[in-house]
Amino acid sequence: MMDSVKLSSMAPKKSKFARTVAKVLHLRAATGISPTDGVQKVESEEVKNDKLDTNTTVKLFSFDDDKQLQKSLAIEALLAKLFASISSIKAAYAQLQYAQSPYDVDGIQAADQLVVSELKSLSEFKQCYNKKQFDSFPDKTVLMAELQEQKSVSKIYEIMGNKLESQMRLKDSEIIYLKEKLDESDSFNQLLEKRLNQSGQISVPDNLHRSGLNPSHFIAVVRFTVKSIRSFVKLMMDEMKAADWDVDAAAGSIAPDVVFSRDDDRCFAFESFVCREFFDGFQMPNFSLPSKRYNKEVYFKRFTQLKSMKAKDYLSRKSKSKFAKFCRAKYLQIVHPKMESSFFGNLSQRSLVSSGGFPDTSFFASFAEAAKRVWVLHCLAFSFEPEASVFQVSKGCRFSEVYMECVAEDSSYEADPPVAFTVVPGFRIGKTIIQSQVYLSPIQTKLT
């Protein structure tokens, strides 16, 4: 009873399942695909052709892109080799320059061969590009080219370093040479100082009394006076050159028939002229100015008052003093109107000096400082007992070391030439002689 019930209850279910399986099998037999395939076909049948076309297009694009990439890499490799070769040429050219000084035959030949080799390589690169012959392994070629370029750059820096080291050694040699010249100049200056200081101390103390005067004080003032005059002469010659003067002709008019051993020696002619005019009347109590003779204390007081002051300040405070009159007279005597006109384009400074004023220019300031030193030296000369005197050496005199000092001791004349002219006058204080400075030169004789 139970078995029959179970069978009767399961029979309908088995029959339903069997029918379902039969339908499926029948559908597969009719279409030849599974139900899942049928669903996929229904869903994608409309776009099947689109998908095939799209896949085909992707495959064709990938092939073209790969071909273009390979071509780009090949050109990149060619350019890398090109720039590497150019860097090698630059390094070779740097080596060629470095081998020129000092001259290195082997270095020049090696650099020349390298330049020729790289130029041939550049020609080969051009032919490869024209014939579309590119490298098969561009990645490796790029790396090798970059390595070559870095080596060339390193070579250039190495050459630059060697060149800088060579220049540094040259500069060290120049420094040693200049130090030796400086030592020679110092020795020469010490010799000159010794000549000026034969009697001892050369400085002039501020608390000096007239009773303590000695020739060394006068020598010190002479030295500073000459230095100031030369400074003014240098400025005057600079103005001449700026105004396009014929310096040779001007020097010849001052010292005619004189043979100058060097072009720079022409400055001594102008220095001679300025000193001659400045010291004109030095033997008189107030130069050529009308005045009575004062006692020694008055001259020494003038010396102490003016020696430490600037000429410009003193003239502004005491424009009617004896020194102010002396300064005006010497300016009009030394600076010719044509000279001033060519220097400054007018005669305003001369007019101002003539009317009792003083120009506020660097040219006049330099002149006034030289004039002050001459005036101070004159005051000191008349402070001595007996007073100091000045002397000039005549043209054509034989040179004497007792009374003279040559301003151009490096003269290359074979025989001892005579005195051509006096540059700076000499002085005598009692038994002490302060040498005059002279220029020695053979005298030219004019043919008639």
Side-chain angles (χ1 to χ4, degrees):
M1 184 70 176
M2 184 176 291
D3 291 340
S4 62
V5 172
K6 288 181 180 179
L7 290 173
S8 62
S9 61
M10 294 180 64
K13 293 181 180 180
K14 184 175 181 181
S15 176
K16 185 178 181 181
F17 176 76
R19 289 194 300 269
T20 303
V21 172
K23 289 180 180 180
V24 171
L25 293 175
H26 177 72
L27 180 60
R28 178 179 294 180
T31 60
I33 59 170
S34 64
T36 305
D37 291 338
V39 175
Q40 288 182 350
K41 184 176 182 179
V42 172
E43 293 178 348
S44 60
E45 184 69 26
E46 295 177 355
V47 297
K48 180 178 180 181
N49 294 332
D50 293 339
K51 286 187 176 182
L52 290 175
D53 294 340
T54 303
N55 291 336
T56 303
T57 304
V58 170
K59 289 179 181 179
L60 292 175
F61 177 80
S62 297
F63 176 78
D64 293 341
D65 183 67
D66 182 72
K67 186 177 180 180
Q68 185 66 27
L69 179 60
Q70 291 296 326
K71 184 178 179 180
S72 299
L73 291 175
I75 294 177
E76 182 180 352
L78 180 63
L79 291 175
K81 291 193 294 184
L82 176 65
F83 286 116
S85 182
I86 293 174
S87 298
S88 298
I89 293 176
K90 291 172 61 178
Y93 182 73
Q95 178 66 35
L96 186 64
Q97 286 184 318
Y98 179 74
Q100 293 289 335
S101 179
Y103 193 80
D104 182 8
V105 178
D106 295 334
I108 291 176
Q109 290 180 352
D112 182 69
Q113 291 176 0
L114 182 56
V115 170
V116 172
S117 175
E118 293 300 329
L119 289 176
K120 289 181 179 178
S121 297
L122 290 176
S123 178
E124 292 174 359
F125 296 157
K126 180 180 179 181
Q127 293 178 7
C128 290
Y129 180 79
N130 292 334
K131 295 179 181 180
K132 307 299 182 181
Q133 295 176 350
F134 298 116
D135 204 300
S136 302
F137 303 95
D139 293 337
K140 182 179 179 180
T141 302
V142 169
L143 293 176
M144 296 299 293
E146 289 178 354
L147 180 61
Q148 180 183 350
E149 186 173 2
Q150 292 301 320
K151 286 183 178 180
S152 300
V153 173
S154 299
K155 184 65 176 179
I156 292 174
Y157 282 122
E158 179 183 354
I159 294 171
M160 291 176 60
N162 294 336
K163 186 175 182 180
L164 291 175
E165 286 182 2
S166 177
Q167 291 177 351
M168 184 177 66
R169 288 193 296 268
L170 180 61
K171 292 296 182 183
D172 290 339
S173 300
E174 291 178 355
I175 290 172
I176 294 173
Y177 171 77
L178 291 175
K179 284 183 178 179
E180 293 175 353
K181 297 295 291 184
L182 178 61
D183 292 338
E184 292 177 2
S185 298
D186 290 340
S187 299
F188 181 72
N189 290 336
Q190 290 176 3
L191 178 62
L192 292 180
E193 186 175 351
K194 184 178 180 180
R195 291 180 180 178
L196 292 173
N197 192 27
Q198 292 177 351
S199 300
Q201 181 181 358
I202 64 171
S203 60
V204 181
D206 292 335
N207 57 352
L208 179 68
H209 298 283
R210 197 182 71 83
S211 59
L213 283 176
N214 61 65
S216 64
H217 300 128
F218 191 82
I219 292 172
V221 179
V222 169
R223 185 186 67 176
F224 288 114
T225 302
V226 173
K227 181 179 179 181
S228 184
I229 290 175
R230 284 178 175 158
S231 178
F232 169 69
V233 170
K234 183 179 183 303
L235 178 61
M236 185 175 68
M237 292 188 66
D238 290 341
E239 293 291 345
M240 288 181 179
K241 294 175 183 178
D244 294 330
W245 272 47
D246 188 344
V247 178
D248 294 344
S253 65
I254 297 173
D257 306 328
V258 174
V259 178
F260 292 97
S261 59
R262 299 178 307 176
D263 291 340
D264 293 341
D265 288 353
R266 288 175 173 81
C267 67
F268 296 124
F270 298 102
E271 187 176 332
S272 171
F273 166 75
V274 173
C275 285
R276 184 172 67 244
E277 298 300 326
F278 263 135
F279 288 100
D280 182 31
F282 190 87
Q283 293 290 95
M284 300 176 65
N286 289 281
F287 283 90
S288 58
L289 302 176
S291 179
K292 64 179 183 178
R293 177 183 290 271
Y294 298 97
N295 60 42
K296 305 297 181 183
E297 292 295 339
V298 173
Y299 287 107
F300 185 73
K301 184 179 180 180
R302 288 179 178 176
F303 166 75
T304 55
Q305 287 179 344
L306 187 55
K307 71 181 183 68
S308 300
M309 290 187 63
K310 289 186 177 182
K312 181 180 179 181
D313 297 336
Y314 189 87
L315 291 174
S316 62
R317 290 170 53 187
K318 298 184 178 182
S319 59
K320 297 182 179 180
S321 63
K322 298 292 183 181
F323 169 63
K325 294 179 181 179
F326 167 80
C327 195
R328 293 190 186 96
K330 292 300 180 182
Y331 181 85
L332 298 177
Q333 190 174 346
I334 292 175
V335 183
H336 194 274
K338 291 184 178 179
M339 178 186 293
E340 182 176 319
S341 178
S342 64
F343 288 177
F344 311 111
N346 54 58
L347 298 175
S348 58
Q349 294 192 48
R350 191 176 188 85
S351 300
L352 182 60
V353 171
S354 300
S355 62
F358 299 102
D360 186 16
T361 62
S362 58
F363 182 81
F364 184 83
S366 178
F367 167 84
E369 195 62 32
K372 188 208 79 171
R373 297 287 176 86
V374 174
W375 180 263
V376 166
L377 183 66
H378 175 268
C379 292
L380 184 60
F382 277 80
S383 299
F384 281 88
E385 184 66 48
E387 57 199 37
S389 61
V390 64
F391 65 88
Q392 295 267 354
V393 179
S394 301
K395 179 179 179 180
C397 288
R398 183 178 179 181
F399 179 77
S400 171
E401 292 185 352
V402 177
Y403 296 97
M404 309 172 203
E405 177 186 5
C406 182
V407 294
E409 292 186 351
D410 59 345
S411 177
S412 58
Y413 300 121
E414 295 182 0
D416 293 334
V419 174
F421 55 86
T422 298
V423 181
V424 180
F427 300 89
R428 181 185 290 107
I429 308 175
K431 297 181 179 181
T432 302
I433 300 295
I434 302 174
Q435 297 166 309
S436 62
Q437 298 182 16
V438 298
Y439 188 79
L440 305 179
S441 173
I443 308 298
Q444 289 181 334
T445 55
K446 294 182 178 179
L447 298 177
T448 57

PDB file of all heavy atoms in Angstrom, residues 207-225:
ATOM      1  N   ASN A 207     107.128 119.974  16.307  1.00  0.00           N
ATOM      2  CA  ASN A 207     107.619 120.794  17.419  1.00  0.00           C
ATOM      3  C   ASN A 207     109.048 121.276  17.199  1.00  0.00           C
ATOM      4  O   ASN A 207     109.769 121.595  18.146  1.00  0.00           O
ATOM      5  CB  ASN A 207     107.544 120.010  18.732  1.00  0.00           C
ATOM      6  CG  ASN A 207     108.330 118.703  18.675  1.00  0.00           C
ATOM      7  OD1 ASN A 207     108.808 118.319  17.613  1.00  0.00           O
ATOM      8  ND2 ASN A 207     108.463 118.039  19.816  1.00  0.00           N
ATOM      9  N   LEU A 208     109.457 121.314  15.920  1.00  0.00           N
ATOM     10  CA  LEU A 208     110.820 121.718  15.596  1.00  0.00           C
ATOM     11  C   LEU A 208     111.002 123.219  15.847  1.00  0.00           C
ATOM     12  O   LEU A 208     110.144 124.034  15.510  1.00  0.00           O
ATOM     13  CB  LEU A 208     111.125 121.386  14.141  1.00  0.00           C
ATOM     14  CG  LEU A 208     112.502 121.770  13.620  1.00  0.00           C
ATOM     15  CD1 LEU A 208     113.590 120.929  14.291  1.00  0.00           C
ATOM     16  CD2 LEU A 208     112.562 121.592  12.102  1.00  0.00           C
ATOM     17  N   HIS A 209     112.140 123.587  16.451  1.00  0.00           N
ATOM     18  CA  HIS A 209     112.520 124.994  16.649  1.00  0.00           C
ATOM     19  C   HIS A 209     113.616 125.355  15.668  1.00  0.00           C
ATOM     20  O   HIS A 209     114.370 124.492  15.207  1.00  0.00           O
ATOM     21  CB  HIS A 209     112.994 125.232  18.089  1.00  0.00           C
ATOM     22  CG  HIS A 209     111.927 124.962  19.112  1.00  0.00           C
ATOM     23  ND1 HIS A 209     110.893 125.837  19.356  1.00  0.00           N
ATOM     24  CD2 HIS A 209     111.739 123.898  19.936  1.00  0.00           C
ATOM     25  CE1 HIS A 209     110.095 125.333  20.304  1.00  0.00           C
ATOM     26  NE2 HIS A 209     110.602 124.153  20.678  1.00  0.00           N
ATOM     27  N   ARG A 210     113.716 126.639  15.380  1.00  0.00           N
ATOM     28  CA  ARG A 210     114.699 127.069  14.389  1.00  0.00           C
ATOM     29  C   ARG A 210     116.119 126.731  14.814  1.00  0.00           C
ATOM     30  O   ARG A 210     116.978 126.423  13.982  1.00  0.00           O
ATOM     31  CB  ARG A 210     114.573 128.574  14.135  1.00  0.00           C
ATOM     32  CG  ARG A 210     115.249 129.028  12.846  1.00  0.00           C
ATOM     33  CD  ARG A 210     115.154 130.520  12.665  1.00  0.00           C
ATOM     34  NE  ARG A 210     116.003 131.215  13.611  1.00  0.00           N
ATOM     35  CZ  ARG A 210     117.321 131.432  13.445  1.00  0.00           C
ATOM     36  NH1 ARG A 210     117.926 130.993  12.354  1.00  0.00           N
ATOM     37  NH2 ARG A 210     118.022 132.087  14.347  1.00  0.00           N
ATOM     38  N   SER A 211     116.349 126.749  16.101  1.00  0.00           N
ATOM     39  CA  SER A 211     117.692 126.429  16.593  1.00  0.00           C
ATOM     40  C   SER A 211     118.071 124.970  16.337  1.00  0.00           C
ATOM     41  O   SER A 211     119.258 124.629  16.336  1.00  0.00           O
ATOM     42  CB  SER A 211     117.785 126.728  18.097  1.00  0.00           C
ATOM     43  OG  SER A 211     116.819 125.954  18.809  1.00  0.00           O
ATOM     44  N   GLY A 212     117.056 124.117  16.123  1.00  0.00           N
ATOM     45  CA  GLY A 212     117.322 122.701  15.873  1.00  0.00           C
ATOM     46  C   GLY A 212     117.368 122.335  14.413  1.00  0.00           C
ATOM     47  O   GLY A 212     117.449 121.144  14.066  1.00  0.00           O
ATOM     48  N   LEU A 213     117.311 123.327  13.521  1.00  0.00           N
ATOM     49  CA  LEU A 213     117.348 123.044  12.089  1.00  0.00           C
ATOM     50  C   LEU A 213     118.697 122.466  11.672  1.00  0.00           C
ATOM     51  O   LEU A 213     119.744 122.869  12.179  1.00  0.00           O
ATOM     52  CB  LEU A 213     117.092 124.321  11.278  1.00  0.00           C
ATOM     53  CG  LEU A 213     115.645 124.816  11.180  1.00  0.00           C
ATOM     54  CD1 LEU A 213     115.597 126.140  10.429  1.00  0.00           C
ATOM     55  CD2 LEU A 213     114.766 123.784  10.484  1.00  0.00           C
ATOM     56  N   ASN A 214     118.657 121.509  10.762  1.00  0.00           N
ATOM     57  CA  ASN A 214     119.876 120.977  10.159  1.00  0.00           C
ATOM     58  C   ASN A 214     119.574 120.630   8.705  1.00  0.00           C
ATOM     59  O   ASN A 214     118.404 120.599   8.288  1.00  0.00           O
ATOM     60  CB  ASN A 214     120.406 119.765  10.941  1.00  0.00           C
ATOM     61  CG  ASN A 214     119.417 118.618  10.965  1.00  0.00           C
ATOM     62  OD1 ASN A 214     119.109 118.028   9.926  1.00  0.00           O
ATOM     63  ND2 ASN A 214     118.901 118.293  12.145  1.00  0.00           N
ATOM     64  N   PRO A 215     120.577 120.370   7.889  1.00  0.00           N
ATOM     65  CA  PRO A 215     120.356 120.116   6.457  1.00  0.00           C
ATOM     66  C   PRO A 215     119.392 118.975   6.159  1.00  0.00           C
ATOM     67  O   PRO A 215     118.751 118.976   5.096  1.00  0.00           O
ATOM     68  CB  PRO A 215     121.771 119.812   5.938  1.00  0.00           C
ATOM     69  CG  PRO A 215     122.673 120.547   6.868  1.00  0.00           C
ATOM     70  CD  PRO A 215     122.012 120.465   8.206  1.00  0.00           C
ATOM     71  N   SER A 216     119.283 117.979   7.059  1.00  0.00           N
ATOM     72  CA  SER A 216     118.374 116.863   6.788  1.00  0.00           C
ATOM     73  C   SER A 216     116.933 117.327   6.689  1.00  0.00           C
ATOM     74  O   SER A 216     116.144 116.777   5.916  1.00  0.00           O
ATOM     75  CB  SER A 216     118.503 115.796   7.876  1.00  0.00           C
ATOM     76  OG  SER A 216     118.090 116.311   9.133  1.00  0.00           O
ATOM     77  N   HIS A 217     116.554 118.347   7.454  1.00  0.00           N
ATOM     78  CA  HIS A 217     115.188 118.887   7.367  1.00  0.00           C
ATOM     79  C   HIS A 217     114.960 119.532   5.996  1.00  0.00           C
ATOM     80  O   HIS A 217     113.907 119.377   5.386  1.00  0.00           O
ATOM     81  CB  HIS A 217     114.950 119.905   8.475  1.00  0.00           C
ATOM     82  CG  HIS A 217     115.118 119.344   9.851  1.00  0.00           C
ATOM     83  ND1 HIS A 217     115.928 119.920  10.800  1.00  0.00           N
ATOM     84  CD2 HIS A 217     114.605 118.232  10.419  1.00  0.00           C
ATOM     85  CE1 HIS A 217     115.881 119.200  11.910  1.00  0.00           C
ATOM     86  NE2 HIS A 217     115.082 118.165  11.695  1.00  0.00           N
ATOM     87  N   PHE A 218     115.957 120.247   5.520  1.00  0.00           N
ATOM     88  CA  PHE A 218     115.830 120.880   4.208  1.00  0.00           C
ATOM     89  C   PHE A 218     115.762 119.828   3.101  1.00  0.00           C
ATOM     90  O   PHE A 218     115.004 119.968   2.146  1.00  0.00           O
ATOM     91  CB  PHE A 218     117.017 121.820   3.978  1.00  0.00           C
ATOM     92  CG  PHE A 218     116.862 122.715   2.790  1.00  0.00           C
ATOM     93  CD1 PHE A 218     116.119 123.888   2.872  1.00  0.00           C
ATOM     94  CD2 PHE A 218     117.442 122.399   1.571  1.00  0.00           C
ATOM     95  CE1 PHE A 218     115.957 124.719   1.776  1.00  0.00           C
ATOM     96  CE2 PHE A 218     117.295 123.215   0.461  1.00  0.00           C
ATOM     97  CZ  PHE A 218     116.556 124.390   0.576  1.00  0.00           C
ATOM     98  N   ILE A 219     116.547 118.759   3.231  1.00  0.00           N
ATOM     99  CA  ILE A 219     116.527 117.678   2.247  1.00  0.00           C
ATOM    100  C   ILE A 219     115.142 117.048   2.177  1.00  0.00           C
ATOM    101  O   ILE A 219     114.641 116.733   1.088  1.00  0.00           O
ATOM    102  CB  ILE A 219     117.584 116.618   2.606  1.00  0.00           C
ATOM    103  CG1 ILE A 219     118.988 117.191   2.425  1.00  0.00           C
ATOM    104  CG2 ILE A 219     117.412 115.369   1.732  1.00  0.00           C
ATOM    105  CD1 ILE A 219     120.089 116.283   2.927  1.00  0.00           C
ATOM    106  N   ALA A 220     114.505 116.863   3.341  1.00  0.00           N
ATOM    107  CA  ALA A 220     113.165 116.271   3.366  1.00  0.00           C
ATOM    108  C   ALA A 220     112.167 117.149   2.625  1.00  0.00           C
ATOM    109  O   ALA A 220     111.341 116.651   1.842  1.00  0.00           O
ATOM    110  CB  ALA A 220     112.718 116.065   4.809  1.00  0.00           C
ATOM    111  N   VAL A 221     112.243 118.454   2.829  1.00  0.00           N
ATOM    112  CA  VAL A 221     111.305 119.366   2.166  1.00  0.00           C
ATOM    113  C   VAL A 221     111.580 119.424   0.665  1.00  0.00           C
ATOM    114  O   VAL A 221     110.657 119.502  -0.150  1.00  0.00           O
ATOM    115  CB  VAL A 221     111.378 120.767   2.805  1.00  0.00           C
ATOM    116  CG1 VAL A 221     110.429 121.732   2.104  1.00  0.00           C
ATOM    117  CG2 VAL A 221     111.032 120.697   4.283  1.00  0.00           C
ATOM    118  N   VAL A 222     112.848 119.356   0.280  1.00  0.00           N
ATOM    119  CA  VAL A 222     113.186 119.315  -1.150  1.00  0.00           C
ATOM    120  C   VAL A 222     112.552 118.096  -1.800  1.00  0.00           C
ATOM    121  O   VAL A 222     111.982 118.178  -2.902  1.00  0.00           O
ATOM    122  CB  VAL A 222     114.719 119.296  -1.342  1.00  0.00           C
ATOM    123  CG1 VAL A 222     115.069 118.979  -2.799  1.00  0.00           C
ATOM    124  CG2 VAL A 222     115.314 120.638  -0.950  1.00  0.00           C
ATOM    125  N   ARG A 223     112.648 116.967  -1.126  1.00  0.00           N
ATOM    126  CA  ARG A 223     112.085 115.728  -1.678  1.00  0.00           C
ATOM    127  C   ARG A 223     110.581 115.856  -1.903  1.00  0.00           C
ATOM    128  O   ARG A 223     110.071 115.507  -2.973  1.00  0.00           O
ATOM    129  CB  ARG A 223     112.366 114.562  -0.744  1.00  0.00           C
ATOM    130  CG  ARG A 223     111.931 113.226  -1.298  1.00  0.00           C
ATOM    131  CD  ARG A 223     112.089 112.122  -0.286  1.00  0.00           C
ATOM    132  NE  ARG A 223     111.164 112.307   0.822  1.00  0.00           N
ATOM    133  CZ  ARG A 223     111.025 111.453   1.831  1.00  0.00           C
ATOM    134  NH1 ARG A 223     111.774 110.381   1.876  1.00  0.00           N
ATOM    135  NH2 ARG A 223     110.171 111.689   2.795  1.00  0.00           N
ATOM    136  N   PHE A 224     109.854 116.387  -0.919  1.00  0.00           N
ATOM    137  CA  PHE A 224     108.405 116.533  -1.070  1.00  0.00           C
ATOM    138  C   PHE A 224     108.053 117.592  -2.109  1.00  0.00           C
ATOM    139  O   PHE A 224     107.044 117.478  -2.809  1.00  0.00           O
ATOM    140  CB  PHE A 224     107.776 116.877   0.277  1.00  0.00           C
ATOM    141  CG  PHE A 224     107.757 115.731   1.246  1.00  0.00           C
ATOM    142  CD1 PHE A 224     108.502 115.776   2.412  1.00  0.00           C
ATOM    143  CD2 PHE A 224     107.004 114.593   0.984  1.00  0.00           C
ATOM    144  CE1 PHE A 224     108.490 114.715   3.300  1.00  0.00           C
ATOM    145  CE2 PHE A 224     106.990 113.536   1.865  1.00  0.00           C
ATOM    146  CZ  PHE A 224     107.740 113.597   3.030  1.00  0.00           C
ATOM    147  N   THR A 225     108.889 118.609  -2.220  1.00  0.00           N
ATOM    148  CA  THR A 225     108.639 119.646  -3.225  1.00  0.00           C
ATOM    149  C   THR A 225     108.760 119.080  -4.633  1.00  0.00           C
ATOM    150  O   THR A 225     107.902 119.312  -5.494  1.00  0.00           O
ATOM    151  CB  THR A 225     109.632 120.803  -3.038  1.00  0.00           C
ATOM    152  OG1 THR A 225     109.496 121.332  -1.716  1.00  0.00           O
ATOM    153  CG2 THR A 225     109.371 121.902  -4.055  1.00  0.00           C
TER     154      THR A 225
END
